[in-house]
Amino acid sequence: MKKVKLTLVLSLMFTIGYGQQSNKIEDNKSQIFEENWKSLEKVNAVPDWFQDAKFGIYAHWGPVSSAFEGSDTDTFYAGWHGMKMYEDGKKVPTKNGKPTSNFEHHSKKYGNPKKYGYKHIIEQFDPSAFDAKEWSDLFAKSGAKFAGPVAMHHDNFAMWDSKTTRWNSMNYGGIDPSAELKKEIEAKGLKFMASFHHAFTWKYFAPAHKYGGVKAEDYDLYTNPHSLESDTPDEQFYKDWWAKMKEYIDVYQPDLIWFDWWLENMTEESRLEFLAYYYNKGIEWDKEVVVSYKETTFPETVAVKDYERGRPNQPKSPSWLTDTSPGAWFYRPNAKFKTPNELVDILVDIVSKNGLMLLNVPPNPDGSIPQEMQDLLINMGEWLAINGDAIYATRPWTIFGEGPTRLPEGGHKVEKFKIEYKNTDIRFTKKSDKEFYIIVLDTPTNEIIVKSLSTEIGVLNSKIENITLLGSSEKINWVKDERGLVIQAPSKMPSKYAHAFKVLLEGYTENNIGGNIDAHVD
């Protein structure tokens, strides 16, 4: 008999941490949060609705989306165009008649940035094909449980009818996508979220001031003049940043506020003021709100940590979030997208490790959603319609998975590596102490051997009562022996991608070994 070699990774903290966070506040209404960390640590930063949701969607869209409309290349920085268009550097010449930098592209399409600055792009914003109901219908079909707009990106442009800044989508475009999306998203039973990226605006428009052509009357867009090296925003910047945040909170009452980076470089006082205000508003609205952050902006005791295009390579507590995109963040011509199979595998891996996925949708400049993106979301929704019981409202099992395919590293931007999961790659989730799921990340051809459930390893000492395949009525044949739990592949698989087997137990004596079993045969 072949010897099974095991490496056990012990990580009990995620199971312990889950129990602690779910009971953090028995009566949230009795809490009044003050602007200090000790007070804010009383918050239930990861409420049940958020842990249950697993999958959400937001959309990177605004005036900058049109910067590359009609272009025959996708090699430029799209969402960062308002910064890169002023960075002429050595004024790199065109190659074969095509621009090779954002500066050259902007100069060719619009003219010299001194005369045709970023505000010129804003003035041409044409959201004529935006339809909040169509967006929300698609989000619901995808299986997402929360959704919303990128409310303000680095360019300081408000995607709402703002009274705090004239640079908004009502003045330039004639629409309030935040109001329209909130109405339609909540009508579908989804939670409403919004993301904010404008902490970085201070750095984003520094090249504009260096390049020149910014008029004093437009400092409310570009911020007050400052050097490229300045990492310390002025008092006006903080005042404007907070005015926009407070207005959005008061008017749109989002269930989730997601922050991009650079907020960690702002003052502690500004961060504390935001958290206390928003969490107290949640109490006033009688709902548990969530804050997500990057880098070191907040302690994990008061908000949800996000990993951009990345994820830990082991289960982690408290629950966390991955924001990712099937392609570029903003519209690009000839965009290349991930496949539904890839995104399903990423979602399953994230959920098995106590995380959630926030998936970006990059609309066309006019606000319509590309057909390829629509197809991708519908395919994900079809998979979740069959296998959602193994995803929604689940929690991490004793171990998150097994198999030969491993992330080369955990954390930020791990998705830059091409990862192709096989039918020997398996992930686990659980619904209760007597019900868990085995999710096989590719279609099996013969038998599935779950090595970590062998009689020798002893991860599961409970007796298995029954095994079924989600979406199938076919009887599943299986045996548990020294090789593992051996499941005969059904004659027909109901899903195109990963496949979820539901395991019912007579009793539950799961061994608390935690983490992952890296099992392979010598």
Side-chain angles (χ1 to χ4, degrees):
M1 180 179 68
K2 293 182 179 179
K3 181 181 177 182
V4 177
K5 189 176 180 181
L6 306 175
T7 303
L8 302 182
V9 180
L10 305 180
S11 58
L12 278 174
M13 68 177 184
F14 79 90
T15 54
I16 296 171
Y18 164 64
Q20 291 175 338
Q21 70 192 27
S22 62
N23 296 314
K24 212 167 192 178
I25 295 179
E26 293 182 1
D27 183 6
N28 200 30
K29 291 184 180 181
S30 68
Q31 302 296 319
I32 300 297
F33 299 106
E34 300 174 357
E35 293 177 19
N36 63 72
W37 298 119
K38 184 176 180 180
S39 175
L40 288 164
E41 284 180 354
K42 298 174 184 177
V43 74
N44 183 10
V46 193
D48 285 343
W49 77 258
F50 182 73
Q51 292 185 85
D52 292 348
K54 305 305 182 190
F55 176 39
I57 288 175
Y58 68 161
H60 281 67
W61 176 56
V64 75
S65 299
S66 64
F68 298 98
E69 188 173 16
S71 174
D72 58 355
T73 181
D74 62 355
T75 59
F76 305 129
Y77 295 89
W80 286 47
H81 182 69
M83 180 181 189
K84 297 295 182 180
M85 60 178 272
Y86 294 104
E87 295 179 350
D88 59 329
K90 297 179 181 179
K91 295 189 177 180
V92 180
T94 58
K95 184 177 182 181
N96 298 325
K98 296 181 180 180
T100 56
S101 70
N102 285 67
F103 175 84
E104 291 293 333
H105 168 77
H106 187 91
S107 299
K108 182 178 180 180
K109 181 173 181 177
Y110 301 106
N112 191 298
K114 282 186 179 179
K115 184 176 181 181
Y116 300 97
Y118 188 76
K119 81 168 197 174
H120 179 71
I121 295 176
I122 290 177
E123 290 166 350
Q124 298 183 78
F125 184 42
D126 177 20
S128 54
F130 170 69
D131 188 317
K133 187 176 187 306
E134 287 183 2
W135 280 31
S136 302
D137 287 346
L138 181 62
F139 297 163
K141 288 178 182 177
S142 77
K145 298 301 182 183
F146 57 96
V150 169
M152 180 169 281
H153 205 254
H154 305 322
D155 63 356
N156 217 13
F157 184 82
M159 295 296 283
W160 72 91
D161 182 11
S162 178
K163 305 301 183 289
T164 63
T165 174
R166 63 191 171 106
W167 303 101
N168 67 70
S169 59
M170 185 58 73
N171 290 343
Y172 298 95
I175 62 168
D176 183 345
S178 290
E180 294 180 44
L181 284 169
K182 176 180 172 65
K183 176 184 175 182
E184 297 296 340
I185 284 169
E186 292 182 341
K188 293 291 184 181
L190 279 61
K191 299 285 188 178
F192 177 70
M193 69 156 287
S195 74
F196 294 87
H197 311 239
H198 63 303
F200 189 64
T201 299
W202 183 256
K203 299 292 286 186
Y204 189 78
F205 281 130
H209 291 293
K210 180 180 179 180
Y211 188 78
V214 177
K215 297 179 181 179
E217 64 193 53
D218 296 326
Y219 288 170
D220 57 341
L221 172 66
Y222 294 98
T223 72
N224 290 330
H226 57 279
S227 70
L228 294 176
E229 295 74 26
S230 173
D231 288 331
T232 307
D234 61 18
E235 185 178 347
Q236 187 64 46
F237 181 85
Y238 281 106
K239 181 180 178 181
D240 293 344
W241 180 88
W242 176 236
K244 294 161 188 170
M245 291 302 309
K246 184 177 182 299
E247 177 184 55
Y248 202 94
I249 292 168
D250 292 345
V251 175
Y252 301 99
Q253 301 184 9
D255 297 282
L256 164 65
I257 288 180
W258 182 98
F259 283 115
D260 202 354
W261 72 319
W262 222 79
L263 194 61
E264 69 276 6
N265 292 305
M266 293 175 64
T267 63
E268 184 178 48
E269 290 76 15
S270 64
R271 288 174 277 152
L272 286 168
E273 181 179 23
F274 159 75
L275 284 175
Y277 187 83
Y278 183 47
Y279 283 140
N280 282 324
K281 278 294 181 179
I283 296 172
E284 179 184 316
W285 303 331
D286 195 26
K287 63 182 182 181
E288 292 182 293
V289 295
V290 178
V291 175
S292 180
Y293 69 97
K294 288 183 179 177
E295 308 298 339
T296 57
T297 299
F298 301 119
E300 291 187 40
T301 52
V302 303
V304 175
K305 181 154 179 85
D306 176 272
Y307 298 83
E308 181 182 324
R309 293 191 187 271
R311 52 197 188 273
N313 53 17
Q314 292 292 326
K316 185 178 179 297
S317 179
S319 295
W320 47 275
L321 186 66
T322 287
D323 70 301
T324 189
S325 184
W329 292 106
F330 280 90
Y331 165 83
R332 285 190 185 180
N334 308 310
K336 303 295 188 297
F337 294 100
K338 283 186 172 68
T339 66
N341 184 30
E342 289 176 289
L343 289 176
V344 164
D345 286 348
I346 291 171
L347 174 64
V348 171
D349 187 59
I350 287 170
V351 171
S352 73
K353 298 171 184 171
N354 204 28
L356 294 84
M357 175 193 276
L358 175 60
L359 183 67
N360 175 53
V361 170
N364 294 317
D366 63 5
S368 60
I369 296 178
Q371 187 61 50
E372 187 175 356
M373 191 73 230
Q374 293 185 44
D375 294 341
L376 190 157
L377 292 177
I378 290 171
N379 284 331
M380 286 193 71
E382 290 172 348
W383 184 87
L384 282 164
I386 295 171
N387 298 281
D389 282 348
I391 300 297
Y392 302 124
T394 61
R395 299 294 184 267
W397 196 53
T398 305
I399 57 176
F400 82 84
E402 66 171 67
T405 308
R406 289 283 178 265
L407 297 179
E409 60 182 87
H412 187 68
K413 294 189 176 178
V414 72
E415 289 177 22
K416 66 182 179 181
F417 298 96
K418 180 72 172 179
I419 300 171
E420 295 183 6
Y421 291 102
K422 304 174 177 61
N423 58 23
T424 48
D425 291 305
I426 293 168
R427 297 294 180 266
F428 302 100
T429 61
K430 78 172 183 179
K431 264 294 176 30
S432 70
D433 284 348
K434 294 187 177 182
E435 181 181 346
F436 75 99
Y437 295 90
I438 298 168
I439 307 174
V440 183
L441 296 183
D442 200 4
T443 302
T445 56
N446 187 8
E447 60 184 14
I448 304 156
I449 302 178
V450 188
K451 297 177 182 179
S452 52
L453 301 186
S454 76
T455 53
E456 290 186 351
I457 296 174
V459 175
L460 180 67
N461 294 327
S462 312
K463 185 177 179 181
I464 295 175
E465 184 178 273
N466 190 33
I467 298 177
T468 56
L469 175 63
L470 296 186
S472 173
S473 59
E474 186 175 341
K475 177 178 172 55
I476 303 300
N477 297 310
W478 56 273
V479 63
K480 188 170 182 285
D481 58 27
E482 69 280 358
R483 294 178 297 164
L485 176 63
V486 182
I487 302 172
Q488 294 300 315
S491 59
K492 184 178 180 181
M493 305 302 288
S495 303
K496 295 179 181 179
Y497 317 121
H499 311 279
F501 292 86
K502 179 178 180 179
V503 181
L504 294 180
L505 306 174
E506 288 187 354
Y508 195 69
T509 54
E510 169 192 348
N511 286 351
N512 289 323
I513 60 174
N516 160 64
I517 288 187
D518 183 8
H520 60 277
V521 178
D522 285 337

